[in-house]
Amino acid sequence: MTAAVLRPRSKSPDRRARRIGTVVAAVLALAWTLPILWVLVGSFNAERITSGSGFLPSDPTGENWSKLVQPDGRAVNVFVAFFNSTVVAVVATALALVVCSMMAYALARLPFRGSAVVLAAIVLMMLVPTEVILVPLFKQFAALGLLNTYGALIIPHVVSLFGVVLLRQFIANLPVELTEAAKIDGANAWQNYRYIVLPLIRPGLATLGILVFLAAWNDFLWPLIATSTPSMQTLPLALITFRSAYGDGEYGVVMASTILAITPPLLIFLIAQRFIVEGISNTGLKG
C-alpha cells in the first residue's frame, strides 16, 4: 500500500517538470520562428512595409521572387550568387573533413617529437582574430593569382583549427586497443585511419561539416575582399546589393532574397542538430 501511494508521487514532479520544459521550449521556438514567418510572408507583399502594415499582405504577389532572377539591372542575379555560395560551402566542407581528420589523427595516434608543441600552437592560433590575417592572406592569394576565383573563396575554410582540435579530442577518446589490435592484424596507419577511426568519429565529422558549411555559407568579409566581379559574388554580398537597390521602397524583394539565403543552412541545421549536440558534448572530456 505504501509503495502504491509513493510511486505516483515520485513520478509526478518529473512529469510536471517535463511539461513545464515542453511549454517553455514551445514558447521559445515560437518566438524564434515568428520573425522568419514574417519575412516569408513579407516576401509576397507588393506594398512597402511600414509600421502600420499588418502581418498578412493585402495584395500578395510573386513578383518579388521573379526579381531575384531578373533584378532590372539594379542588383546581381541572386541565383548566380546562390550557386557560388553552394559550390564554395560544399567543396570547402568536403576538403575540411579530409584535411582536419588527417591532421587530428596524426596528432592523436601518430606520436612524433614536438606533437604537444604543435597542438599547443594550434590552440594558441585559435585566439588570433580572423581580421588580423586578412591583409597577409590577400597578398598571398594575389601573388598566387587566385583572387576572384573559387580557390580564393574555398581554401581559407579548408584548414579549420577548431576542427583539428575537435576531431583530435574525438580520436583521443577512442580506446587505444582498437588501433593496436588492427596493427597486430597487419593494418598500417592509413588502414587504421580509414577503416577504424573514421567510422567511430562520425558524430565529430558531422559536427565539423555543419560548422564549416555554415561558416563558408555566411562568410561576408573575405568574399568582399577576394572577389571583384558580380559573377563571383557569394550570397551574402548579393544580399547587400539587393538591400541597397530595393531596400528604400521594395522590402519584399529583400525579404525574398533573405529567405533564399537562410533556407539551406536552416534545413541542414534542423536535420543534423543532434550531431552538433552529441559532437560538442563528447569532446574535451579526456586529454
Side-chain angles (χ1 to χ4, degrees):
M1 183 67 181
T2 304
V5 174
L6 293 178
R7 190 175 301 165
R9 291 180 180 176
S10 61
K11 290 184 178 180
S12 58
D14 295 336
R15 292 176 181 174
R16 192 178 301 111
R18 284 196 297 268
R19 289 174 182 174
I20 294 175
T22 302
V23 172
V24 172
V27 172
L28 293 177
L30 181 62
W32 181 84
T33 307
L34 278 178
I36 298 178
L37 293 177
W38 182 76
V39 173
L40 178 61
V41 172
S43 66
F44 295 97
N45 197 343
E47 302 174 354
R48 179 171 181 173
I49 298 177
T50 61
S51 59
S53 302
F55 183 80
L56 296 176
S58 58
D59 185 20
T61 178
E63 184 181 356
N64 296 326
W65 288 89
S66 65
K67 289 181 180 179
L68 299 183
V69 183
Q70 299 174 345
D72 302 330
R74 286 188 281 176
V76 300
N77 188 324
V78 74
F79 285 101
V80 173
F82 184 90
F83 175 78
N84 292 337
S85 288
T86 302
V87 171
V88 171
V90 171
V91 176
T93 301
L95 293 178
L97 291 178
V98 175
V99 173
C100 293
S101 62
M102 287 185 174
M103 294 176 63
Y105 177 71
L107 289 172
R109 284 292 187 266
L110 301 178
F112 57 91
R113 182 177 298 179
S115 59
V117 176
V118 173
L119 180 60
I122 291 175
V123 174
L124 288 176
M125 284 189 292
M126 290 172 58
L127 303 177
V128 179
T130 305
E131 292 77 10
V132 174
I133 63 173
L134 285 180
V135 173
L137 200 62
F138 178 84
K139 291 183 177 180
Q140 207 169 32
F141 280 101
L144 295 173
L146 292 177
L147 291 178
N148 203 42
T149 64
Y150 285 121
L153 300 174
I154 292 172
I155 294 175
H157 295 284
V158 170
V159 181
S160 170
L161 299 180
F162 173 76
V164 174
V165 176
L166 179 76
L167 295 183
R168 186 261 174 194
Q169 289 302 109
F170 264 94
I171 299 173
N173 290 340
L174 297 178
V176 180
E177 292 78 11
L178 294 175
T179 53
E180 292 298 328
K183 287 181 181 180
I184 294 175
D185 291 337
N188 55 31
W190 167 256
Q191 291 170 330
N192 254 325
Y193 162 78
R194 172 65 180 85
Y195 298 106
I196 304 297
V197 173
L198 284 185
L200 294 176
I201 62 169
R202 285 178 182 174
L205 293 174
T207 302
L208 177 60
I210 295 168
L211 296 178
V212 173
F213 182 91
L214 294 178
W217 183 270
N218 295 324
D219 192 9
F220 172 79
L221 186 57
W222 174 243
L224 178 65
I225 298 173
T227 60
S228 57
T229 59
S231 61
M232 286 303 302
Q233 283 188 356
T234 55
L235 205 50
L237 298 180
L239 294 180
I240 295 299
T241 64
F242 270 88
R243 174 64 180 84
S244 59
Y246 297 101
D248 292 335
E250 302 176 57
Y251 285 102
V253 183
V254 180
M255 291 185 174
S257 63
T258 302
I259 289 295
L260 183 65
I262 67 176
T263 299
L266 182 61
L267 291 177
I268 290 176
F269 179 79
L270 291 177
I271 294 172
Q273 59 178 327
R274 66 185 183 91
F275 290 109
I276 296 180
V277 177
E278 181 182 355
I280 294 179
S281 63
N282 287 339
T283 58
L285 301 181
K286 293 193 296 182

